[in-house]
Amino acid sequence: VELVQPELAGDLDTILERADEVRTMGVRANADNPEDAELARSFGAQGIGLCRTEHMFLGDRKQIIQTFILNEDESIREKAVADLFAAQTGDFLGMFKAMDGLPVIVRLLDPPLHEFLPTKEEDIAEIAGELNITVDELKAVIASLHEFNPMMGHRGCRLAVTYPEIAEMQTTAVINAAITVNKEHPEYKIVPEIMIPLVGEIKELKYVKSFVTATADKLIADAGVEMTYKVGTMIEIPRAALTADEIATEAEFFSFGTNDLTQMTFGFSRDDAGKFLDAYYDAKIYESDPFARLDQNGVGKLVKMAADLGRQTRPDIKLGICGEHGGDPSSVEFCHNIGLAYVSCSPFRVPIARLAAAQAAIKSK
């Protein structure tokens, strides 16, 4: 109730109905598994704006990706990729079914590989035994993958450049799942959307996209079906925003990853900024946390510039935002005002984001 502006105060259902009438911005939720997708739908989500596939490698599955990372034996690595493929295919089947044909954007593997590796002594010893190597040998491998600034290191599309087999495997899982569900439910007309993260240069997008499209096109042809798909990117590096007209020649959609875009534009880490931001609030340097409320004067200008440049190249380009800002009312209003099509946030923030989108749509009318 506190989020409702005085001039728009009224029954929430009425506001949401009004928003559905104007339909200038559809609200999606972040969902990483079928359960999240169903939860998001129950809160009124109209699609999945971000499926973070690395979250599918947690729990028991972490051991599979550890085997891939830590083994040099090609046959063992191939087996690990096959196991990951089986797990991801099942997840995507469940997600496509849960969404009943609504849009689903799947992001290729994003975090640096060291995040999947053990840190505790007992875990290191256990995995070393499974791999039949010494603890010191395993520690040497882990040390070799250590990065001083991993959020700006070997991650995102850089992983796909180094390990194209991961991008091919994930594309295969997405497309196969979509084909299967489309056969069961032809009324869904699923159009899978594959997002390549952390692009900053058109050539790296083109390079990784070549693996995605070659894999997808062959699967669709071999299955003898008609199915379209989209390949896009997450705009989260300032250089990508500045060259968005070039990026749009290869990307059919942009999703603005404002968490990382904020980090890189401000030049400080979201994980460490809490140590000094209170002093900034006390000194009135910042009025609010830029990771919670979008910095419209700086980061927002980059988002608007990229949206405008993208439309110049590809007038029908689909534009959205994912990240924590997707659940902040003032950030949602800003996204509406610059013409983004959707916001994506975690399932429990969907009602707030829907309300904010409704208010912004009514206000603009």
Side-chain angles (χ1 to χ4, degrees):
V1 175
E2 291 174 355
L3 291 170
V4 181
Q5 298 165 12
E7 67 272 22
L8 298 177
D11 181 71
L12 173 58
D13 290 334
T14 303
I15 293 175
L16 294 177
E17 285 171 13
R18 289 281 304 279
D20 284 338
E21 289 171 17
V22 291
R23 299 194 70 82
T24 53
M25 178 181 285
V27 181
R28 303 188 188 185
N30 294 345
D32 308 319
N33 54 59
E35 294 73 27
D36 281 352
E38 290 175 4
L39 179 63
R41 286 292 308 279
S42 72
F43 283 129
Q46 297 172 346
I48 295 173
L50 175 63
C51 170
R52 299 165 293 188
T53 54
E54 59 272 7
H55 286 208
M56 297 176 174
F57 296 155
L58 301 177
D60 295 340
R61 298 177 184 177
K62 186 179 281 191
Q63 183 180 350
I64 306 173
I65 197 164
Q66 286 172 346
T67 301
F68 171 84
I69 297 167
L70 298 171
N71 258 290
E72 294 184 3
D73 187 313
E74 205 56 43
S75 62
I76 295 177
R77 286 166 66 92
E78 288 176 2
K79 171 69 165 57
V81 170
D83 290 342
L84 290 171
F85 164 72
Q88 292 219 294
T89 300
D91 285 342
F92 293 137
L93 279 169
M95 294 181 77
F96 284 132
K97 287 178 180 177
M99 298 312 292
D100 296 339
L102 290 171
V104 176
I105 295 180
V106 177
R107 182 178 70 186
L108 299 183
L109 190 66
D110 183 41
L113 295 181
H114 82 270
E115 289 195 4
F116 298 104
L117 298 180
T119 55
K120 296 179 180 176
E121 285 291 332
E122 59 267 30
D123 294 335
I124 292 173
E126 182 181 345
I127 291 171
E130 292 169 357
L131 295 175
N132 199 28
I133 60 175
T134 68
V135 168
D136 286 342
E137 286 174 325
L138 179 52
K139 283 185 175 179
V141 175
I142 293 171
S144 72
L145 290 170
H146 173 76
E147 298 182 61
F148 289 102
N149 195 341
M151 286 299 98
M152 296 178 71
H154 192 185
R155 56 169 287 222
C157 63
R158 300 159 195 166
L159 285 174
V161 171
T162 311
Y163 305 107
E165 62 266 42
I166 294 181
E168 291 171 338
M169 176 275 289
Q170 293 195 296
T171 300
T172 303
V174 170
I175 298 298
N176 275 351
I179 289 173
T180 299
V181 177
N182 263 348
K183 285 180 178 176
E184 294 176 8
H185 298 278
E187 72 278 11
Y188 287 178
K189 298 181 175 62
I190 295 170
V191 178
E193 301 179 50
I194 296 173
M195 181 160 65
I196 299 172
L198 213 75
V199 164
E201 159 62 49
I202 181 64
K203 292 177 183 175
E204 64 186 342
L205 173 58
K206 194 170 184 176
Y207 182 77
V208 176
K209 182 183 173 183
S210 69
F211 293 102
V212 172
T213 55
T215 302
D217 291 346
K218 185 177 188 305
L219 289 168
I220 293 168
D222 289 349
V225 298
E226 289 187 12
M227 191 178 75
T228 57
Y229 63 93
K230 296 180 186 296
V231 180
T233 190
M234 189 177 279
I235 303 289
E236 49 194 329
I237 292 178
R239 191 179 189 280
L242 295 168
T243 61
D245 49 345
E246 292 182 10
I247 301 287
T249 62
E250 294 290 337
E252 294 174 275
F253 64 88
F254 288 166
S255 184
F256 291 96
T258 51
N259 291 350
D260 273 344
L261 189 59
T262 297
Q263 288 195 100
M264 296 190 196
T265 302
F266 274 90
F268 52 59
S269 164
R270 181 172 50 155
D271 297 324
D272 297 324
K275 298 173 184 175
F276 58 81
L277 280 181
D278 281 344
Y280 274 62
Y281 305 144
D282 292 343
K284 306 298 183 188
I285 295 171
Y286 294 155
E287 295 296 324
S288 60
D289 181 352
F291 293 108
R293 177 171 293 180
L294 185 68
D295 163 47
Q296 297 181 18
N297 289 338
V299 179
K301 279 185 181 176
L302 283 173
V303 174
K304 185 179 186 306
M305 176 192 299
D308 292 342
L309 289 172
R311 289 191 192 103
Q312 286 176 23
T313 298
R314 191 184 293 266
D316 62 344
I317 193 168
K318 186 165 71 173
L319 305 170
I321 178 178
C322 55
E324 292 307 306
H325 297 109
D328 171 63
S330 67
S331 303
V332 171
E333 182 177 4
F334 173 80
C335 294
H336 169 82
N337 290 339
I338 66 170
L340 302 195
Y342 68 89
V343 296
S344 184
C345 59
S346 59
F348 288 107
R349 301 188 82 176
V350 167
I352 295 174
R354 289 185 71 212
L355 176 59
Q359 291 175 338
I362 294 169
K363 200 173 179 182
S364 67
K365 287 290 179 180

